[in-house]
Amino acid sequence: MSSIGFIGLGNMGGPMMRNLLKAGHGVKAYDLAPTLLASAKEAGAELATDPGEAARNVDAVITMLPAGQHVRAVYLDEKGVIASASAPTLLIDCSTIDVDSARIVSAAAKGRALDMVDAPVSGGVAGAAAGTLTFMVGGSDQAFARAEPILKTMGKVIVHAGPPGNGQAAKICNNMMLGIQMISVAEGFALAEKLGLSAAKLFEISSKASGQCWSLTNYCPEPGLVPSAPSNRDYQPGFTAAMMLKDLRLAQQAAASAGAPTPLGAGAAALFALFAGKGREALDFSAIIQMIKGKI
């Protein structure tokens, strides 16, 4: 079994770390929050006093952090992960961040002869707890081959998306499509209601017709149609509207940097910003149907 430094023990990182412990890996954990450190210690992890200590004398370092600036700080500071780790330590960043930051950090790791992958996840808190996450991985073939067995401890599907940064690119492109599709499904149900077509009948038809998509058949925003969907739990997440807005904004940042037109992506970002601005950012992102129906 490997020794792993784990930095970032929040809603996603905490359950991921616990799955590493359950698989028999030794974990040296770090977070800014004392309560999260206490929980990690109770689960069986050794505690580190800072990111640099978490990166010393381990086989791999995994990070799960909120945004690009946090990833750059943790990896690039003079006493951070890259300065403190030594080859052959493998670096795995599972945060969802901007593509440019992922590539900057990966280049810095390469300069120190450290293998690194960006490996953002899909599957939410439930997937993190169950060990069924999907990892979209960017990095060299060698780095991916080393990371895959560790990622399999925390996830079910691990896909090599290409060179450094491509894991982040895959994540934000996928979630931009998801955000757009959710809005389209919500608009379809809102229009059907105004036209006197029942939600159940629209679902029966569209789930087997050309309107079919994951947002409809797996995560339907209209209550009573897909039992496992958050719409049947008063829109408790799931995947929050705040997290969707973050990913849509990352997609817009990447689109601007690449010169790629994404008018529907821009529209989706604007609508989710409006929804979050109404104080609904902690609800599941599918709850945007409430705004589209004019209920909030």
Side-chain angles (χ1 to χ4, degrees), residues 203-257:
F203 182 85
E204 179 186 350
I205 294 167
S206 292
S207 63
K208 299 176 179 65
S210 54
Q212 190 278 330
C213 64
W214 188 89
S215 292
L216 174 67
T217 55
N218 289 68
Y219 216 79
C220 188
E222 182 73 23
L225 299 172
V226 175
S228 59
S231 55
N232 295 308
R233 307 190 303 269
D234 295 323
Y235 299 100
Q236 294 305 303
F239 186 66
T240 65
M243 293 171 70
M244 175 55 76
L245 178 57
K246 172 193 170 183
D247 289 357
L248 288 168
R249 284 173 168 166
L250 286 173
Q252 287 307 291
Q253 181 180 340
S257 178

Side-chain angles (χ1 to χ4, degrees), residues 10-50:
N11 291 337
M12 294 293 293
M16 291 166 65
M17 180 214 66
R18 284 174 175 78
N19 283 328
L20 292 170
L21 289 169
K22 289 175 185 175
H25 296 293
V27 176
K28 186 161 48 167
Y30 176 74
D31 195 281
L32 289 173
T35 55
L36 296 178
L37 286 174
S39 179
K41 184 177 181 179
E42 185 178 345
E46 176 187 351
L47 301 187
T49 57
D50 56 53

Side-chain angles (χ1 to χ4, degrees), residues 274-281 283 287-296:
L274 181 61
F275 182 63
K278 292 178 179 287
R280 268 49 178 202
E281 66 275 2
L283 291 177
I288 198 167
I289 192 172
Q290 295 178 327
M291 186 179 78
I292 290 172
K293 286 188 171 186
K295 294 182 177 179
I296 57 170

Side-chain angles (χ1 to χ4, degrees), residues 136-287:
M136 294 150 271
V137 187
S140 68
D141 289 344
Q142 173 179 300
F144 175 76
R146 294 184 62 198
E148 188 176 20
I150 297 173
L151 296 177
K152 282 183 175 178
T153 304
M154 303 177 288
K156 196 171 185 179
V157 179
I158 295 92
V159 180
H160 190 194
N166 275 27
Q168 300 295 346
K171 173 71 182 288
I172 61 175
C173 289
N174 179 79
N175 280 18
M176 182 180 73
M177 291 188 286
L178 175 62
I180 292 168
Q181 289 164 2
M182 183 57 72
I183 291 169
S184 77
V185 172
E187 288 186 351
F189 279 106
L191 178 59
E193 185 177 291
K194 293 290 187 182
L195 296 175
L197 175 64
S198 75
K201 191 56 67 176
L202 176 62
F203 182 85
E204 179 186 350
I205 294 167
S206 292
S207 63
K208 299 176 179 65
S210 54
Q212 190 278 330
C213 64
W214 188 89
S215 292
L216 174 67
T217 55
N218 289 68
Y219 216 79
C220 188
E222 182 73 23
L225 299 172
V226 175
S228 59
S231 55
N232 295 308
R233 307 190 303 269
D234 295 323
Y235 299 100
Q236 294 305 303
F239 186 66
T240 65
M243 293 171 70
M244 175 55 76
L245 178 57
K246 172 193 170 183
D247 289 357
L248 288 168
R249 284 173 168 166
L250 286 173
Q252 287 307 291
Q253 181 180 340
S257 178
T262 55
L264 291 179
L271 285 170
F272 273 100
L274 181 61
F275 182 63
K278 292 178 179 287
R280 268 49 178 202
E281 66 275 2
L283 291 177
D284 190 81
F285 81 104
S286 61

Side-chain angles (χ1 to χ4, degrees), residues 91-112:
L91 309 181
I92 302 173
D93 180 39
C94 294
S95 319
T96 295
I97 63 171
D98 59 287
V99 175
D100 289 342
S101 287
R103 289 175 175 162
I104 288 168
V105 171
S106 179
K110 184 177 181 181
R112 293 263 303 177

